[in-house]
Amino acid sequence: MRNESRKLIIPCESAMRDIIPAIKALLVTQLVSNGISQSQAASILGLTPAEISYYLKGKRQMESTSRS
């Protein structure tokens, strides 16, 4: 079979890889633009300050979309 290397991606995998990081990026951007500190945003969203920084720089969202 030639298609052995193709992997079936179920909807929850797609959501975890693409949709949820995009939503987190939007939330981080909105919180910080509304005056919430990165540290507070991290606490509110249950993320680390490093993750907040990645989202603000666009690195985290790009990582998740480049895997597809």
Side-chain angles (χ1 to χ4, degrees):
M1 281 180 133
R2 283 196 156 153
N3 293 334
E4 287 180 26
S5 64
R6 295 177 90 185
K7 181 181 175 189
L8 178 65
I9 297 176
I10 57 177
C12 62
E13 276 186 85
S14 178
M16 290 295 294
R17 189 187 65 229
D18 301 326
I19 297 168
I20 293 173
I23 292 170
K24 285 181 181 179
L26 289 171
L27 288 171
V28 166
T29 303
Q30 287 299 310
L31 286 171
V32 173
S33 69
N34 286 329
I36 302 292
S37 71
Q38 289 184 27
S39 174
Q40 289 173 318
S43 179
I44 290 167
L45 297 173
L47 302 172
T48 65
E51 287 175 299
I52 297 295
S53 179
Y54 283 133
Y55 280 117
L56 291 173
K57 292 177 182 177
K59 291 182 180 181
R60 181 60 62 135
Q61 190 173 0
M62 286 189 294
E63 284 177 5
S64 65
T65 57
S66 67
R67 290 183 200 156
S68 23

